[in-house]
């Protein structure tokens, strides 16, 4: 009997020491201390022993039990340490590996040109105003002295939404909206999207304009020339020749279109400037007295100039882009060049 207890004890401790995982350790515990274990069987059979042997064997079994429990406890600590190390090793990340890298974007060429134009006028003391892209016929046309059956309406191929609601064909309606609400002196620029029923290599149904106007007492055509010449030189280069050409707009009188020497041939004549040596950049003029009347100003007392330019066109000329669609397709191979 004694021998048997010793054997069980030794075998149990050996198995415990050799177990490699918490799971197999738990199996060993059930096998050597569980309800069906050999030790428990022995305890149960104590009654069959002669009474003088019972205490001795009983205490041997208890000692064995304690020794096995102790072995289980210490092996458990060792195995928990090992398993934790394995888990940490498996979860390890190499923080020195190169990252995925975030690709850096840049602003769209239209955004760049718009920002540059705004900056120049802000430095000259102009303020920014905005207006809606869905306009009424009044602000887009009538208020600007473009009367219903006048042929000049054909200058703007208009997208109508309803009878008197349309997509604004230019940023000039902002002139009326601002002047209706504010008294002179005013120096305003109005950047924004405009729409025309037009589509080819140089015309997109949606494009961008920058409107500007200045109203005060005694504003002259000389002021218009000075401001626009300074703007164009900052935009295209200080040496760039600039010229003012008589033109017609219903809301300005007199009116002028402003050209800069061709960005490609600088005046010699080429395909881009249609052999003229000049590129048309903007429309301008002295604000028509009828416009002042429409906003309730006294046309005898105030005077002012206004201008409007196409930002897409300026971007195309500055960067040598030959198709306006490139500005709207968002092809990264194109955009990454800016
Ligand atoms: N609104 C005109 C256009 O779109 C441009 C312009 C603005 C001309 C202001 C004169 C004064 O063609």
């Amino acid at each position: 009997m004694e021998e048997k207890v010793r054997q069980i004890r030794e075998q149990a401790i050996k198995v415990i020491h050799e177990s490699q995982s918490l799971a197999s350790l738990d199996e060993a515990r059930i096998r050597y201390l569980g309800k069906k274990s050999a030790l428990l069987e022995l305890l149960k059979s104590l009654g069959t022993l002669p009474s003088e042997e019972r205490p001795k064997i009983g205490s041997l079994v208890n000692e064995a039990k304690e020794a096995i429990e102790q072995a289980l406890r210490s092996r458990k600590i060792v195995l928990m340490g090992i398993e934790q190390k394995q888990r940490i090793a498996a979860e390890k990340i190499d923080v020195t590996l190169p990252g995925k890298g975030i690709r850096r974007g840049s602003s769209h060429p239209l955004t760049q040109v718009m920002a540059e134009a705004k900056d120049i006028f802000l430095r000259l003391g102009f303020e920014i105003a905005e207006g809606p892209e869905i306009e009424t016929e009044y602000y887009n046309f009538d208020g600007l002295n473009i009367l219903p059956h006048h042929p000049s309406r054909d200058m703007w191929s208009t997208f109508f939404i309803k009878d008197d609601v349309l997509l604004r064909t230019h940023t000039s309606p902002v002139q009326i909206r601002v002047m209706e609400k504010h008294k002179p002196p005013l120096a305003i620029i109005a950047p924004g999207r405009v729409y025309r029923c037009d589509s080819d290599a140089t015309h997109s149904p949606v494009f961008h304009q920058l409107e500007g106007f200045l109203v005060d007492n005694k504003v002259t055509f000389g002021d218009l020339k000075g401001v626009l010449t300074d703007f164009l030189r900052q935009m295209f280069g200080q040496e760039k020749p600039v010229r003012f050409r008589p033109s017609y707009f219903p809301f300005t009188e007199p009116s002028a279109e402003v050209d800069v020497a061709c960005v490609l041939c600088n005046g010699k004549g080429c395909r881009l400037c249609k052999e003229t040596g000049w590129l048309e950049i903007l429309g301008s003029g002295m604000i028509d007295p009828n416009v002042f009347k429409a906003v309730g100003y006294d046309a005898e007392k105030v005077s002012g100039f206004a201008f409007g330019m196409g930002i897409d066109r300026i971007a195309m000329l500055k960067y040598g882009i030959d198709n306006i669609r490139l500005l709207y397709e968002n092809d990264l191979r194109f955009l990454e060049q800016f």
Side-chain angles (χ1 to χ4, degrees):
M1 200 52 111
E2 269 184 71
E3 178 58 17
K4 189 146 185 223
V5 176
R6 202 180 51 80
Q7 262 178 22
I8 293 171
R9 176 175 165 161
E10 272 172 16
Q11 204 208 352
I13 287 174
K14 185 164 174 268
V15 168
I16 287 166
H17 272 295
E18 282 168 2
S19 66
Q20 292 304 314
S21 69
L22 289 171
S24 63
L25 189 67
D26 207 46
E27 280 167 23
R29 181 185 61 77
I30 292 163
R31 182 149 143 223
Y32 293 106
L33 297 179
K35 287 195 184 107
K36 288 176 188 157
S37 63
L39 271 188
L40 212 76
E41 294 299 318
L42 271 178
L43 273 183
K44 280 183 199 154
S45 63
L46 273 186
T48 63
L49 292 178
S51 57
E52 65 275 15
E53 281 188 33
R54 281 183 211 162
K56 194 173 165 212
I57 300 297
S59 70
L60 273 180
V61 170
N62 279 335
E63 272 168 33
K65 220 176 121 194
E66 266 163 38
I68 292 169
E69 276 166 355
Q70 175 59 44
L72 280 169
R73 274 196 297 274
S74 51
R75 186 67 188 159
K76 188 171 179 182
I77 290 168
V78 173
L79 285 177
M80 274 182 9
I82 291 172
E83 289 199 358
Q84 189 185 35
K85 266 194 202 130
Q86 284 169 346
R87 207 170 46 242
I88 289 171
E91 286 171 2
K92 186 175 162 195
I93 40 169
D94 182 353
V95 292
T96 67
L97 279 176
K100 287 218 180 95
I102 297 166
R103 295 221 293 171
R104 202 197 248 227
S106 58
S107 35
H108 192 280
L110 282 176
T111 311
Q112 288 181 34
V113 170
M114 190 63 107
E116 207 179 326
K118 280 192 215 165
D119 275 355
I120 295 170
F121 284 111
L122 290 176
R123 282 198 298 271
L124 287 171
F126 284 74
E127 284 177 74
I128 296 178
E130 280 181 6
E133 290 172 28
I134 296 174
E135 261 301 4
T136 61
E137 203 168 11
Y138 176 75
Y139 286 108
N140 198 82
F141 291 128
D142 303 48
L144 287 160
N145 195 35
I146 315 170
L147 299 171
H149 299 292
H150 195 277
S152 66
R153 278 222 180 179
D154 297 343
M155 290 168 77
W156 298 273
S157 6
T158 310
F159 286 117
F160 277 90
I161 295 172
K162 284 193 296 197
D163 259 358
D164 67 341
V165 182
L166 45 81
L167 293 176
R168 67 178 179 189
T169 59
H170 51 178
T171 40
S172 300
V174 184
Q175 288 186 37
I176 308 296
R177 287 183 175 275
V178 171
M179 287 193 276
E180 270 182 347
K181 284 220 180 86
H182 304 276
K183 296 273 152 259
L186 288 173
I188 302 289
I189 52 168
R193 266 195 287 271
V194 299
Y195 302 84
R196 286 184 204 173
C197 188
D198 246 349
S199 185
D200 60 33
T202 53
H203 296 87
S204 158
V206 53
F207 61 103
H208 300 77
Q209 282 192 338
L210 184 91
E211 187 85 10
F213 58 100
L214 185 144
V215 186
D216 202 346
N217 308 315
K218 302 191 184 114
V219 178
T220 68
F221 199 89
D223 298 322
L224 177 156
K225 273 188 90 171
V227 167
L228 292 179
T229 304
D230 184 47
F231 166 76
L232 291 169
R233 296 231 162 109
Q234 290 196 53
M235 201 71 185
F236 289 94
Q238 286 302 328
E239 304 303 319
K240 207 76 187 150
V242 170
R243 75 170 181 187
F244 289 71
R245 199 164 28 78
S247 184
Y248 170 77
F249 296 101
F251 33 90
T252 49
E253 183 60 36
S255 303
E257 281 177 311
V258 188
D259 301 341
V260 295
C262 178
V263 292
L264 264 192
C265 64
N266 203 28
K268 284 190 205 71
C270 68
R271 227 179 45 142
L272 180 65
C273 58
K274 301 197 181 82
E275 306 301 330
T276 62
W278 297 96
L279 296 168
E280 181 200 319
I281 298 298
L282 54 83
S284 65
M286 301 307 290
I287 297 174
D288 194 286
N290 283 339
V291 173
F292 286 141
K293 259 179 240 156
V295 298
Y297 285 5
D298 183 347
E300 297 296 321
K301 292 208 178 106
V302 296
S303 54
F305 65 79
F307 55 88
M309 65 188 82
I311 295 298
D312 304 66
R313 179 169 162 79
I314 295 178
M316 289 172 77
L317 295 172
K318 268 190 94 141
Y319 297 121
I321 299 164
D322 60 4
N323 194 321
I324 195 167
R325 284 204 197 116
L326 289 165
L327 293 173
Y328 293 93
E329 281 170 348
N330 286 334
D331 185 332
L332 282 181
R333 291 168 300 179
F334 168 75
L335 291 177
E336 274 167 352
Q337 300 172 64
F338 300 93

